[in-house]
Amino acid sequence: MSQTPISHEAFTREFRDALGTFATGITVVATRAPDGEPIGLTVNSFNSVSLDPPLIVWSLAANLPCVPIFESCEYYSVNVLAADQDNLSNLFASRSDDKFAGLDVDEGMYGVPLLRGCCARFECRNVVRHAGGDHIVFISEVVRFDRDDTHAPLIFWGGAYQRLAP
Ligand SMILES: Cc1cc2nc3c(=O)[nH]c(=O)nc-3n(C[C@H](O)[C@H](O)[C@H](O)COP(=O)(O)O)c2cc1C
């Protein structure tokens, strides 16, 4: 581990790489805009917080155009991607205007879009938001969820997609 003073840019790059050693799953967080249009983005900052009450956490980059929608929506879904859904991860990490075009989705209890073929899907009530540097930290109550054990999860590690060894 280097102790030599480094520039801010080098620190940020090293910090990112060090964070990348923490393997995560990948989710798509989705909701509906006030006009009813479905929106969503790829998120790997998702994690569990509490079992009782059932709470989860994720963070949203504060400069994204979807911030006002996620700040004001009452409910959203967190869809845990399966190993064969890297195409969905790429799609929802893109700046496409209509990420849901041609995509078959289920409708959650509160109209939230639920992706198909996922490992698990959580329907969440948007409870608390905290400023967290250049991100906004969302903590939500899970009101309903389902799970499909037949799918292995998609993994993100070292800045790249990975799959669990059989
Ligand atoms: C594997 C992966 C994980 C990501 N995790 C997050 C995250 O946790 N929070 C976030 O704000 N953006 C995350 N992103 C970036 C967003 O998906 C990306 O900025 C997306 O374009 C945002 O959607 P929008 O442009 O429609 O607002 C991630 C991207 C990838 C590929």
Side-chain angles (χ1 to χ4, degrees):
M1 206 165 290
S2 167
Q3 298 300 319
T4 319
I6 54 174
S7 69
H8 180 69
E9 289 72 26
F11 174 88
T12 303
R13 198 169 51 245
E14 293 282 333
F15 182 47
R16 206 183 179 119
D17 290 348
L19 292 175
T21 66
F22 184 63
T24 68
I26 301 184
T27 70
V28 169
V29 179
T31 191
R32 283 193 189 273
D35 63 3
E37 281 304 304
I39 65 151
L41 77 159
T42 300
V43 162
N44 76 332
S45 53
F46 168 75
N47 217 322
S48 56
V49 173
S50 161
L51 285 180
D52 188 9
L55 301 176
I56 58 99
V57 65
W58 63 288
S59 61
L60 176 64
N63 60 357
L64 290 178
C66 61
V67 163
I69 296 172
F70 277 108
E71 280 188 319
S72 59
C73 72
E74 272 192 88
Y75 294 91
Y76 51 76
S77 67
V78 179
N79 304 267
V80 180
L81 297 186
D84 63 356
Q85 293 183 311
D86 48 340
N87 57 333
L88 284 185
S89 176
N90 290 334
L91 172 67
F92 280 93
S94 74
R95 284 284 160 99
S96 161
D97 276 346
D98 190 3
K99 301 179 186 180
F100 287 85
L103 208 61
D104 284 331
V105 294
D106 296 321
E107 184 132 316
M109 269 168 86
Y110 301 97
V112 296
L114 296 169
L115 303 187
R116 295 184 179 166
C118 295
C119 298
R121 308 183 297 186
F122 300 93
E123 291 167 56
C124 305
R125 191 167 67 87
N126 196 357
V127 183
V128 179
R129 290 161 301 284
H130 293 289
D134 56 11
H135 279 59
I136 301 161
V137 179
F138 285 73
I139 297 178
S140 307
E141 180 185 10
V142 175
V143 292
R144 197 169 78 164
F145 63 93
D146 61 16
R147 174 167 76 102
D148 184 344
D149 284 340
T150 63
H151 298 299
L154 183 61
I155 307 293
F156 196 64
W157 177 78
Y161 297 129
Q162 314 283 345
R163 282 168 186 80
L164 294 176

